[in-house]
C-alpha cells in the first residue's frame, strides 16, 4: 500500500485528468452532495488530530498523586484506623478528623481539576472562533462551506486572500501566487501553475511542486481552482504535526494517566521539592514526638486507661496535619487560575496553568517582528514624485486617517499633479482591493485589504487622495504581466482612450493616447529602463545620468530608514507594439516590447509601523533585566531600523555585534560550534534573514547558557522552536493550529506588549505565591512548635487535629488566597529575573518563617498557659486530670487560645503582605484581603457559638469563657503585631544581603561563562529531541550557571 508521501508525489506528477479520475470528481460540476457527505463520514473532518482531552475524572485522579496530598491521605487513613480499633470505635464523631482530611483532599483535587478542564475549553473555543470558509463546486454550483467539511475530490475555488483549506492539485491557475512561509519558512510568494513542466537537467529541486498548493498557505495573488487530494492529518501540515507529536503518542504513567513530568515548569518543580522537604520533615517530627511521648508515657486525658502508644499515634496524626501545608496546592491552583483569567483580559490565553509563572521568570524574550513588534500592516510613510518629496500620514489600512503633505513646508498635496498621477498609475498596476468589513464578534467595521501586502500601501494612499475604488472599471486592464524574481517588476496595460489627462488634476496625456503601460517594482531596475521623467508642472524632461543619480540617491535615503521602496513608471501609447491576438508572442516578448521608453513618475516608500506601546514595553523589559531579541526574515538594514524604533537597539549598542544576519550562524551551510554560537547569541539583539530552523538553534543556545527563553511564533515551522523554548508563545490571529498546539501561551492580539504584561503578571503571581507560602508555612511551623512544647513539657495538647484543620483551612485559607491575589509591588519589573533553579522558598524566607512561627508560638503558648491557670488552676496535664470537671475547664482554655490564634493570624495576614515594609503601607490596597478577614471572622464566631458544631465536633466553648476569656485572647494579636513587625528589621537586612550575593554570583557566572566560551576546550553537550528539552540537558556551560545556596546570613 502506497504511503501518504508516495500518493502526494503521484498526484503531483500525473496529469490533471488522471488526478480528477482518481478522486472520482468532475472539474465543472464537482462532487454531488451525497458523495461529499459519504467521503466526510469516511475520512472525517478536515482538521488536525487533537489528542483526546483528559476527562474531568482523569484530571481529578492526577491531582491526587501530589506528594503533599498523598501524605494527607496517609494521615487520614491512620486517624480512622486508630479510632476504629480504639474504645470510641462506635462513636461516629471520633472519625470526623479522618473524614475532614478526606473532604479537604477531594475539595482541593476537584477545584484544580475543574480549573484545568476549563482552561482546555477556552483553547477549544479559540480554535472554533478562527474557523474559516471556502468556495467549492458542489452539484455544479459554487457554494461556500466551512473548511473543516472539505473532502478529497472537492473542486475548490481559490481567490486572492483565501487560505488553502487542504492539499490540492491545481486544474486552473491565473497568475496564482501563494505564501508558503508557514510551511517552508520562505518569505517570498511562490508562483503556481496547473501545467506540468519537465524538469531541466541541473535545475535545483523545488521545495514544493509548482502544480500543487497546500493546506494553511495564503493565496496572495491571482485565482485558480483545483481538486483536493488530501485533508486533515493526510496533508503536509498534518504530517509535520504527526512528527512533532511523535509516532508513539503521549507518554503514560501508571499505564493510564498522561505523563506530564517532562512539561513541568519551575514552579511545579519547586513545589514538588518543597513538598518533599516538608513530607520528610513531617515524618521525622512525627516519629520523634511519638518516641518522646511513649518514653514519657503521655496519655489521653479523656481515657487514661488507653495505652500511651495508641494515644501518641493520634498525636502523630495531629502533628502530621499541623506540619503538612495542605492549603498550598489549593492556594496555588486558585492563585494561578485567577492569574490565568486576568491574562485573558490582557489578551493572553494560558494553555498550561503554571506556565504564566514561568514567563515571569523569563530572562530572554525572542520575538518575531511582523505582527508582533509591528502592526503587520505595510503603511506608506513617504513618496517622491516629479522631483518633490512628500510625507504620508496615517497608520494601518484606514484611508480616512491621515493625508499627504509636502515635506518642505507641510502644504496639503492632495491635489498635486505628481501625487495623483503617481498613485493612480500605481493602483492601475495592483491586484489588491480595499474594503470595509464588519467584525462578526464585535460588530465593529474596519478596513481590510485583499491581496498582496506590498500593494496595500499604494491602494490606501490612492484612496486618501480621492481615487475611486472603481478604478479597475474606469480604466479597463488589457494586459497584465505579473511580478517575477527575474523581472523585478509588474507591468500592466490599461485603456485610457478618450482622456486628455490621466485623471482629474493628473498629468496631461499626449494627443491620441489610447493605452498606458504601468511598471511597478524595484527602483534600480525601473530607473534603468526610463528615458524620461515627469516634472512638477506635468512636462517631461530627459532622464540623464545626473537625473538617475538623483533618483537613486533618494532611494538610498529611504532604504537607510528601512523603508520598502517601489518605483512607478508609465508609457502612454497610441497603439500596442504587438498584436494581442497573436498567441505566438510569449509573455517575455510582450514585456520587452512594453517596457521601452518609460517615463518615471515617482517613488513610494512604505514601512510596517511598530505597534503602539511596544517601545515602552521593550524599555520596561530591559529595566526588568530581560533581553529582548528580535528574530525576523527582513534584511539586516530594515531589521536594524525597526529595532531602533522600538528601542531593542539603543544608541549605546554596537550594531556590528548587536545585529547580525543569520547567515553568520551557519557559514557554509553548517551551524557554528556550540561555543561560538553561544558567544554570538549572548550579545546579539537582532537576528535578520532568519529561517525557522535558526529559531530553534538560537533557543538552544540561550538555554545552554542557563537562561529561561520565551519564543514567539506563528508558522508550522516555528513549532519545534516553540516546543523547545521554556515558554512557547503562539499567535492567536496569524498562528497556525500546529504552532498553537506546540505553545504554552497564545497571544489573542499577536501583540508584544501582551508578553511584557504577562511577564509582570507572572512576577506578581509568583511573589504572591511566595507570600502565602511563607504565611501558611509559618502557621504550620507554629502549630508544630506548640504541639511539640506541649508534649515535651507535659502540658495538655492545646488543640485537636480537627481544630487545626479548621484553623488552617477555614480561618487561614481565605487570607492566604487573598495574599496570592496581592497586586504586584511597585517596581516589580525593575527586579532581575529569578534564576530558573531558584527555589520558591529562599534561605532568608525560611529564617523569616521560622522566626515568625517562633514569635507566634511564644505568644500563643503564653496565652494558653495564662488560660490554663485561670480556668484549671494548673498547667501540667497530670495535675489537671485530678481536678473536678477537667474536660470542660480545659475546653475553655483551648477556646481562648483558639480565638487568640485566629485573631493573631488575621493580624499576620496584613503583616505578611510585605516581607520588609511596615503593615500600614497601602493597608487597604488589596480589597480581597478585607473580604477574607471578614470571612475568617464569620468562620471563627460560627465555630465557637453554633451548637453541635462548636461543642460536639470542634469541642469549643465560646459561650462559657466569659469576658475575661475574650480579654485574655486580645493579648495574642497585640503581641504578634509588635514582635512580627520588629522581626522585619532582620528580614530586610537578609533580603538586601541576598540581593548583593545574587548580583555577585551573576557577575562570577558571567565571567566563568565568558572564560568557558573563550577556552579552546571543547564543550560537550547533549541535545534532546522531545518536549523534555524544555529544560536543556546539563552541559559544562549549564553547570556554571546553576545557582548555589547562599551562605548563612550573618546577623
Amino acid at each position: 500500500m502506497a504511503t501518504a508521501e508516495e500518493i502526494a508525489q503521484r498526484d503531483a506528477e500525473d496529469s490533471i485528468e488522471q488526478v480528477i479520475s482518481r478522486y472520482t470528481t468532475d472539474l465543472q460540476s464537482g462532487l454531488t452532495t451525497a458523495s461529499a457527505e459519504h467521503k466526510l463520514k469516511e475520512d472525517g473532518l478536515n482538521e488536525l488530530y487533537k489528542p483526546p482531552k483528559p476527562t474531568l475524572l482523569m484530571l481529578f485522579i492526577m491531582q491526587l498523586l501530589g506528594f503533599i496530598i498523598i501524605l494527607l491521605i496517609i494521615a487520614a487513613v491512620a486517624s480512622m484506623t486508630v479510632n476504629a480499633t480504639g474504645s470510641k470505635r462506635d462513636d461516629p464523631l471520633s472519625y470526623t478528623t479522618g473524614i475532614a482530611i478526606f473532604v479537604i483532599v477531594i475539595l482541593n483535587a476537584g477545584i484544580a481539576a475543574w480549573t484545568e478542564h476549563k482552561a482546555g475549553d477556552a483553547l477549544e473555543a479559540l480554535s472554533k472562533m478562527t474557523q474559516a470558509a471556502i468556495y467549492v463546486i458542489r452539484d455544479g454550483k459554487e457554494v461556500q462551506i466551512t473548511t473543516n467539511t472539505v473532502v478529497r475530490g472537492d473542486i475548490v475555488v481559490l481567490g486572492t486572500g483565501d487560505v488553502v483549506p487542504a492539499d490540492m492539485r491545481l486544474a486552473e491557475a491565473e497568475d496564482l501566487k501563494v505564501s508558503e512561509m508557514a510551511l517552508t519558512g520562505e518569505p517570498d510568494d511562490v508562483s503556481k501553475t496547473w501545467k506540468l513542466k519537465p524538469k531541466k537537467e541541473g535545475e535545483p529541486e523545488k521545495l514544493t511542486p509548482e502544480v500543487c498548493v497546500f493546506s494553511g498557505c495564503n493565496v496572495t495573488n491571482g485565482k485558480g481552482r483545483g481538486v483536493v487530494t488530501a485533508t486533515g492529518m493526510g496533508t503536509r501540515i498534518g504530517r509535520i504535526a504527526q512528527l512533532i507529536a511523535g509516532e508513539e503518542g503521549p507518554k503514560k504513567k501508571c499505564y493510564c494517566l498522561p505523563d506530564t513530568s517532562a512539561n513541568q515548569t519551575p514552579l511545579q518543580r519547586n513545589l514538588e521539592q518543597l513538598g518533599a522537604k516538608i513530607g520528610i520533615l513531617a515524618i521525622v517530627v512525627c516519629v520523634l514526638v511519638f518516641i518522646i511521648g511513649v518514653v514519657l508515657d503521655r496519655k489521653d486525658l479523656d481515657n487514661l486507661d488507653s495505652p500511651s502508644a495508641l494515644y501518641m499515634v493520634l498525636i502523630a496524626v495531629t502533628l502530621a496535619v499541623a506540619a503538612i501545608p495542605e492549603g498550598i496546592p489549593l492556594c496555588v491552583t486558585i492563585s494561578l487560575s485567577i492569574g490565568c483569567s486576568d491574562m485573558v483580559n490582557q489578551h493572553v490565553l494560558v494553555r498550561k496553568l503554571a506556565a504564566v509563572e514561568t514567563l515571569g521568570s523569563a530572562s530572554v524574550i525572542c520575538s518575531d517582528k511582523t505582527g508582533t513588534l509591528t502592526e503587520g500592516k505595510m503603511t506608506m510613510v513617504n513618496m517622491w514624485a516629479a522631483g518633490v518629496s512628500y510625507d504620508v500620514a496615517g497608520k494601518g489600512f484606514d484611508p480616512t486617517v491621515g493625508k499627504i503633505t509636502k515635506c518642505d513646508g507641510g502644504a496639503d498635496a492632495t491635489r498635486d499633479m505628481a501625487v495623483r498621477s503617481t498613485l493612480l498609475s500605481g493602483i492601475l498596476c495592483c491586484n489588491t482591493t480595499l474594503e470595509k468589513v464588519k467584525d462578526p464578534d464585535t460588530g465593529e467595521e474596519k478596513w481590510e485589504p485583499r491581496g498582496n501586502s506590498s500593494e496595500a500601501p499604494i491602494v490606501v494612499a490612492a484612496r486618501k487622495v480621492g481615487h475611486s475604488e472603481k478604478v479597475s472599471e474606469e480604466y479597463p486592464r488589457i494586459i497584465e504581466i505579473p511580478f517575477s524574481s527575474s523581472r523585478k517588476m509588474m507591468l500592466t496595460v490599461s485603456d485610457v482612450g478618450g482622456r486628455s489627462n490621466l485623471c482629474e488634476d493628473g498629468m496631461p496625456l499626449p494627443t491620441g493616447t489610447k493605452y498606458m503601460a504601468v511598471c511597478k517594482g524595484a527602483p534600480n531596475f525601473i530607473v534603468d529602463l526610463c528615458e524620461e521623467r515627469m516634472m512638477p508642472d506635468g512636462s517631461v524632461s530627459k532622464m540623464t545620468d545626473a537625473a538617475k543619480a538623483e533618483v537613486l540617491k533618494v532611494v538610498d535615503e529611504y532604504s537607510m530608514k528601512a523603508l520598502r521602496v517601489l518605483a512607478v513608471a508609465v508609457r502612454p501609447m497610441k497603439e500596442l507594439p504587438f498584436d494581442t491576438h497573436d498567441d505566438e508572442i510569449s509573455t517575455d516578448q510582450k514585456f520587452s516590447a512594453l517596457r521601452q521608453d518609460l517615463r518615471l513618475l515617482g517613488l513610494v516608500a512604505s514601512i510596517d509601523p511598530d505597534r503602539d506601546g511596544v517601545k515602552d514595553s521593550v524599555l520596561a523589559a530591559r529595566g526588568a533585566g530581560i533581553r529582548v531579541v528580535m528574530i525576523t526574515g527582513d534584511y539586516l538594514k530594515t531589521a536594524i531600523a525597526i529595532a531602533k524604533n522600538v528601542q531593542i537597539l539603543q544608541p549605546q549598542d554596537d550594531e556590528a555585534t548587536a545585529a547580525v544576519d543569520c547567515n553568520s550562524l551557519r557559514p557554509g551551510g553548517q551551524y557554528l560550534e556550540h561555543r561560538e554560537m553561544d558567544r554570538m547569541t549572548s550579545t546579539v539583539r537582532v537576528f535578520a534573514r532568519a529561517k525557522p530552523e535558526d529559531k530553534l538553534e538560537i533557543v538552544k543556545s540561550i538555554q545552554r547558557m542557563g537562561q529561561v527563553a520565551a519564543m514567539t511564533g506563528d508558522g508550522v515551522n516555528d513549532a519545534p522552536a516553540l516546543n523547545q523554548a521554556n515558554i512557547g508563545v503562539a499567535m492567536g490571529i496569524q498562528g497556525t493550529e500546529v504552532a498553537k498546539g506546540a505553545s504554552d501561551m497564545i497571544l489573542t492580539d499577536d501583540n508584544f506588549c501582551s508578553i511584557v504584561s504577562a511577564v509582570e503578571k507572572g512576577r506578581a503571581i509568583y511573589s504572591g505565591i511566595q507570600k502565602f507560602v511563607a504565611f501558611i508555612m509559618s502557621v504550620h511551623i507554629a502549630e508544630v512548635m506548640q504541639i511539640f512544647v506541649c508534649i515535651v513539657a507535659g502540658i495538655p495538647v492545646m488543640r485537636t487535629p480537627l481544630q487545626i484543620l479548621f484553623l488552617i483551612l477555614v480561618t487561614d485559607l481565605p487570607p492566604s488566597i487573598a495574599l496570592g491575589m496581592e497586586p504586584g509591588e511597585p517596581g516589580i519589573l525593575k527586579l532581575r529575573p529569578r534564576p530558573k533553579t531558584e527555589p520558591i522558598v529562599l534561605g532568608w524566607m525560611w529564617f523569616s518563617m521560622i522566626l515568625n512561627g517562633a514569635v507566634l508560638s511564644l505568644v500563643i503558648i503564653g496565652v494558653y498557659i495564662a488560660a490554663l491557670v485561670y480556668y484549671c488552676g494548673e498547667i501540667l496535664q497530670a495535675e489537671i486530670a485530678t481536678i473536678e470537671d477537667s474536660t470542660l475547664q480545659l475546653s475553655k482554655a483551648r477556646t481562648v487560645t483558639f480565638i487568640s490564634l485566629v485573631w493573631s493570624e488575621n493580624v499576620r495576614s496584613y503583616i505578611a503582605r510585605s516581607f520588609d515594609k511596615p503593615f500600614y503601607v497601602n493597608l487597604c490596597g488589596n480589597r480581597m484581603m478585607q473580604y477574607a478577614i471578614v470571612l475568617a471572622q464569620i468562620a471563627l464566631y460560627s465555630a465557637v457559638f453554633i451548637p453541635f458544631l462548636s461543642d460536639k465536633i470542634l469541642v469549643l466553648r465560646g459561650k462559657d469563657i466569659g469576658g475575661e476569656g475574650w480579654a485574655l485572647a486580645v493579648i495574642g494579636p497585640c503581641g504578634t503585631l509588635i514582635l512580627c513587625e520588629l522581626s522585619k528589621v532582620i528580614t530586610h537586612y537578609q533580603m538586601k544581603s541576598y540581593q548583593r550575593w545574587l548580583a555577585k554570583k551573576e557577575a562570577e557566572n558571567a565571567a566563568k561563562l565568558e572564560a568557558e566560551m573563550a577556552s579552546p576546550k571543547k564543550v560537550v553537550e547533549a541535545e534532546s529531541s522531545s518536549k523534555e528539552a524544555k529544560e536543556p540537558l546539563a552541559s559544562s556551560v549549564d553547570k556554571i550557571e546553576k545557582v548555589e545556596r547562599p551562605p548563612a546570613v550573618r546577623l
Side-chain angles (χ1 to χ4, degrees):
M1 185 174 178
T3 64
E5 288 80 4
E6 290 171 341
I7 294 173
Q9 183 73 18
R10 187 173 60 191
D11 289 338
E13 294 175 350
D14 289 349
S15 67
I16 185 60
E17 291 78 14
Q18 290 175 299
V19 175
I20 289 174
S21 174
R22 182 178 303 130
Y23 291 99
T24 60
T25 186
D26 183 86
L27 187 60
Q28 302 304 321
S29 60
L31 295 173
T32 63
T33 301
S35 176
E37 289 176 353
H38 174 74
K39 289 190 176 187
L40 186 61
K41 290 180 181 178
E42 187 178 80
D43 295 344
L45 290 173
N46 174 36
E47 56 190 19
L48 298 182
Y49 171 76
K50 298 175 183 177
K53 194 169 67 170
T55 63
L56 194 58
L57 176 61
M58 185 175 290
L59 291 172
F60 176 78
I61 294 172
M62 290 170 64
Q63 297 298 327
L64 296 178
L65 299 179
F67 188 77
I68 293 178
I69 299 301
I70 290 174
L71 289 178
L72 280 175
I73 292 174
I74 293 172
V77 171
S79 173
M80 297 182 78
T81 301
V82 169
N83 283 294
T85 58
S87 60
K88 296 183 180 180
R89 56 179 171 272
D90 296 328
D91 183 4
L93 292 179
S94 66
Y95 299 100
T96 52
T97 297
I99 293 172
I101 295 175
F102 275 121
V103 168
I104 295 305
V105 166
I106 292 171
L107 179 64
N108 175 80
I111 293 176
W114 177 256
T115 303
E116 192 167 340
H117 184 70
K118 295 300 290 182
D121 289 343
L123 180 64
E124 194 172 333
L126 176 66
S127 178
K128 290 180 179 178
M129 285 168 52
T130 58
Q131 189 64 256
I134 196 71
Y135 284 96
V136 299
I137 306 297
R138 294 264 178 99
D139 300 317
K141 298 178 182 178
E142 188 173 305
V143 295
Q144 189 179 44
I145 63 173
T146 56
T147 57
N148 64 346
T149 59
V150 169
V151 298
R152 288 181 301 118
D154 260 329
I155 305 299
V156 175
V157 180
L158 296 175
T160 302
D162 286 336
V163 177
V164 181
D167 288 1
M168 295 169 51
R169 169 65 190 273
L170 292 171
E172 297 176 6
E174 296 181 25
D175 300 325
L176 185 66
K177 292 183 181 181
V178 297
S179 170
E180 294 184 341
M181 183 181 293
L183 188 67
T184 67
E186 292 297 318
D188 296 328
D189 295 342
V190 180
S191 296
K192 295 292 181 178
T193 180
W194 67 275
K195 298 179 182 178
L196 283 172
K197 297 179 182 178
K199 184 178 178 181
K200 298 177 182 178
E201 188 176 348
E203 184 179 12
E205 187 75 22
K206 293 183 180 296
L207 293 175
T208 58
E210 285 185 307
V211 294
C212 296
V213 290
F214 299 95
S215 177
C217 297
N218 297 324
V219 178
T220 58
N221 191 69
K223 57 185 179 180
R225 67 172 63 189
V227 57
V228 173
T229 58
T231 61
M233 292 300 289
T235 62
R236 280 205 176 193
I237 277 185
R239 294 199 292 274
I240 292 174
Q242 181 64 37
L243 288 174
I244 292 172
E247 295 183 359
E248 297 180 359
K251 293 181 179 180
K252 302 284 185 180
K253 64 180 180 181
C254 300
Y255 304 102
C256 60
L257 299 177
D259 183 4
T260 59
S261 59
N263 301 332
Q264 284 188 319
T265 62
L267 177 61
Q268 291 169 315
R269 283 192 296 275
N270 280 331
L271 286 175
E272 273 200 7
Q273 293 166 4
L274 180 63
K277 291 175 182 177
I278 293 170
I280 293 170
L281 182 63
I283 293 170
V284 171
V285 171
C286 288
V287 171
L288 179 63
V289 170
F290 177 82
I291 294 172
I292 293 174
V294 171
V295 170
L296 296 179
D297 195 28
R298 303 303 186 201
K299 293 184 181 250
D300 186 356
L301 193 62
D302 296 329
N303 189 6
L304 296 175
D305 296 331
S306 174
S308 176
L310 198 61
Y311 174 63
M312 288 312 301
V313 169
L314 292 176
I315 294 299
V317 171
T318 303
L319 269 174
V321 173
I324 298 171
E326 58 278 343
I328 287 182
L330 183 59
C331 284
V332 169
T333 300
I334 293 174
S335 180
L336 288 173
S337 175
I338 293 171
C340 290
S341 299
D342 291 344
M343 290 290 95
V344 172
N345 297 331
Q346 296 177 6
H347 309 291
V348 177
L349 176 64
V350 180
R351 297 185 66 237
K352 297 173 184 175
L353 196 59
V356 65
E357 172 274 332
T358 311
L359 187 55
S361 68
S363 50
V364 180
I365 299 176
C366 300
S367 175
D368 284 329
K369 177 187 74 69
T370 304
T372 306
L373 293 169
T374 64
E375 291 190 346
K377 301 175 182 178
M378 290 293 292
T379 305
M380 190 182 298
V381 292
N382 290 110
M383 66 179 293
W384 179 93
V388 180
S389 295
Y390 299 89
D391 289 325
V392 183
K395 211 171 187 180
F397 302 128
D398 191 344
T400 64
V401 177
K403 60 182 181 179
I404 301 176
T405 57
K406 290 184 177 180
C407 291
D408 185 11
D412 189 350
T414 303
R415 309 304 300 181
D416 277 23
M417 179 188 299
V419 171
R420 294 181 63 78
S421 301
T422 300
L423 292 177
L424 177 62
S425 300
I427 202 173
L428 290 177
C429 197
C430 289
N431 286 320
T432 298
T433 59
L434 186 68
E435 55 189 28
K436 211 169 191 180
V437 298
K438 181 176 288 188
D439 189 306
D441 296 322
T442 64
E444 181 184 354
E445 289 189 330
K446 58 182 180 179
W447 293 90
E448 282 189 359
R450 286 180 59 86
N452 194 305
S453 60
S454 64
E455 293 179 346
I458 298 175
V459 177
V460 173
R463 294 285 289 273
K464 286 182 179 181
V465 298
H467 288 309
S468 171
E469 66 275 10
K470 299 181 179 180
V471 165
S472 59
E473 299 175 12
E474 298 170 0
Y475 300 82
R477 184 175 294 179
I478 308 300
I479 296 171
E480 177 183 333
I481 300 175
F483 175 89
S484 73
S485 57
S486 58
R487 289 190 285 266
K488 300 294 184 185
M489 64 188 75
M490 176 181 177
L491 186 147
T492 60
V493 177
S494 299
D495 187 344
V496 294
R499 299 175 183 272
S500 58
N501 292 77
L502 179 60
C503 60
E504 184 181 354
D505 295 328
M507 73 175 186
L509 296 174
T511 304
T513 298
K514 188 174 182 181
Y515 304 104
M516 187 176 76
V518 182
C519 272
K520 167 178 63 68
N524 52 334
F525 283 81
I526 289 182
V527 169
D528 283 341
L529 297 173
C530 290
E531 295 296 326
E532 55 188 31
R533 65 171 180 163
M534 185 178 69
M535 304 306 290
D537 60 356
S539 61
V540 177
S541 67
K542 186 174 177 59
M543 178 68 83
T544 62
D545 290 341
K548 288 183 179 181
E550 178 188 345
V551 175
L552 293 177
K553 182 181 178 182
V554 175
V555 173
D556 287 340
E557 290 173 356
Y558 285 154
S559 298
M560 289 299 291
K561 294 191 290 185
L563 302 181
R564 183 172 184 179
V565 187
L566 295 175
V568 179
V570 300
R571 179 189 175 187
M573 296 176 291
K574 295 181 180 180
E575 299 292 339
L576 294 175
F578 51 81
D579 183 359
T580 57
H581 300 291
D582 186 353
D583 294 334
E584 297 299 320
I585 302 177
S586 68
T587 299
D588 287 337
Q589 289 173 322
K590 292 178 182 179
F591 177 69
S592 296
L594 291 169
R595 70 180 185 179
Q596 306 297 319
D597 304 323
L598 292 179
R599 176 190 305 172
L600 181 68
L601 297 187
L603 307 169
V604 293
S606 305
I607 196 169
D608 187 2
D610 50 283
R611 284 181 177 269
D612 293 334
V614 164
K615 185 183 297 184
D616 293 336
S617 294
V618 170
L619 291 175
R622 274 207 171 197
I626 300 171
R627 181 161 59 101
V628 180
V629 177
M630 185 175 81
I631 305 177
T632 176
D634 282 333
Y635 288 101
L636 186 58
K637 283 187 177 180
T638 305
I640 289 173
I642 290 289
K644 286 181 176 179
N645 287 345
V646 298
Q647 295 294 308
I648 288 177
L649 285 180
Q650 294 186 339
Q652 66 268 27
D653 293 324
D654 181 6
E655 289 182 17
T657 57
V660 300
D661 190 302
C662 280
N663 285 323
S664 59
L665 298 177
R666 35 184 163 76
Q670 297 294 323
Y671 283 103
L672 297 169
E673 291 185 2
H674 288 158
R675 186 171 61 254
E676 295 298 322
M677 177 79 79
D678 296 346
R679 180 187 293 118
M680 182 176 293
T681 57
S682 66
T683 57
V684 171
R685 296 182 181 274
V686 177
F687 290 96
R689 303 302 292 164
K691 297 179 179 180
E693 53 267 30
D694 295 333
K695 286 186 173 183
L696 180 60
E697 295 301 321
I698 291 167
V699 168
K700 286 181 178 179
S701 176
I702 290 169
Q703 290 178 327
R704 281 196 298 271
M705 293 183 287
Q707 297 174 311
V708 176
M711 167 65 74
T712 70
D714 51 17
V716 173
N717 274 21
D718 288 331
L722 293 174
N723 198 55
Q724 174 75 27
N726 300 95
I727 286 291
V729 185
M731 303 296 109
I733 299 173
Q734 299 182 14
T736 60
E737 289 298 321
V738 175
K740 292 174 185 175
S743 69
D744 301 288
M745 290 181 171
I746 297 174
L747 301 184
T748 57
D749 62 350
D750 292 9
N751 194 339
F752 178 84
C753 299
S754 300
I755 304 176
V756 179
S757 297
V759 169
E760 183 174 14
K761 185 65 179 177
R763 289 189 177 188
I765 289 172
Y766 194 85
S767 175
I769 290 174
Q770 284 184 313
K771 289 173 183 176
F772 77 62
V773 166
F775 175 77
I776 289 178
M777 285 300 301
S778 63
V779 171
H780 285 273
I781 289 170
E783 292 287 353
V784 171
M785 287 181 175
Q786 292 163 32
I787 294 172
F788 185 81
V789 168
C790 289
I791 293 297
V792 173
I795 302 172
V797 176
M798 66 176 66
R799 61 188 66 93
T800 65
L802 198 56
Q803 289 174 356
I804 294 174
L805 275 176
F806 188 90
L807 278 168
I808 293 173
L809 297 174
V810 180
T811 62
D812 289 341
L813 184 60
S816 300
I817 295 173
L819 280 173
M821 300 168 64
E822 188 74 18
E825 294 186 31
I828 196 169
L829 269 183
K830 295 181 180 178
L831 300 175
R832 59 174 57 84
R834 295 185 318 277
K836 65 180 182 182
T837 53
E838 182 179 270
I840 190 169
V841 181
L842 304 173
W844 60 265
M845 290 176 62
W846 279 110
F847 185 89
S848 175
M849 290 187 303
I850 294 172
L851 182 61
N852 277 273
V855 165
L856 186 61
S857 297
L858 179 66
V859 172
I860 296 303
I861 289 173
V863 171
Y864 183 47
I865 290 174
L868 286 174
V869 171
Y870 180 76
Y871 292 109
C872 301
E874 301 289 345
I875 297 175
L876 299 178
Q877 178 172 316
E879 295 171 350
I880 293 175
T882 62
I883 69 172
E884 186 179 352
D885 204 10
S886 61
T887 301
L888 175 62
Q889 300 306 320
L890 181 59
S891 295
K892 292 180 182 179
R894 285 174 171 171
T895 302
V896 170
T897 309
F898 185 91
I899 295 169
S900 184
L901 182 60
V902 173
W903 285 349
S904 298
E905 287 303 331
N906 288 171
V907 168
R908 284 193 65 251
S909 300
Y910 287 96
I911 297 172
R913 291 184 62 218
S914 176
F915 286 110
D916 62 339
K917 293 183 177 60
F919 76 96
Y920 52 78
V921 174
N922 195 24
L923 181 63
C924 299
N926 185 355
R927 185 178 58 179
M928 298 308 298
M929 183 61 76
Q930 330 309 331
Y931 297 150
I933 297 302
V934 170
L935 182 60
Q937 289 299 302
I938 292 174
L940 167 64
Y941 302 125
S942 299
V944 298
F945 287 124
I946 294 179
F948 188 76
L949 173 64
S950 62
D951 55 351
K952 299 297 183 182
I953 297 178
L954 294 176
V955 196
L956 296 172
R957 307 283 180 177
K959 297 178 182 178
D960 301 328
I961 60 174
E964 298 84 354
W966 291 96
L968 189 60
V970 173
I971 296 174
C974 294
T976 300
L977 177 63
I978 295 170
L979 295 177
C980 286
E981 281 294 291
L982 288 175
S983 70
K984 284 186 177 181
V985 176
I986 301 173
T987 304
H988 178 77
Y989 172 78
Q990 291 180 317
M991 290 174 65
K992 292 294 184 182
S993 298
Y994 177 76
Q995 289 296 318
R996 288 194 295 269
W997 175 86
L998 194 59
K1000 181 180 177 182
K1001 290 300 299 180
E1002 285 183 356
E1004 291 176 358
N1005 289 341
K1008 289 180 181 179
L1009 182 60
E1010 186 176 350
E1012 177 74 17
M1013 291 191 295
S1015 170
K1017 181 181 178 181
K1018 185 177 180 179
V1019 179
V1020 179
E1021 289 152 308
E1023 295 185 6
S1024 174
S1025 59
S1026 67
K1027 185 70 179 179
E1028 66 183 3
K1030 280 276 182 180
E1031 285 299 323
L1033 297 179
S1035 67
S1036 56
V1037 177
D1038 288 323
K1039 292 172 184 175
I1040 292 171
E1041 187 274 343
K1042 291 194 181 294
V1043 177
E1044 302 170 10
R1045 300 285 297 183
V1049 180
R1050 296 182 180 85
L1051 301 180

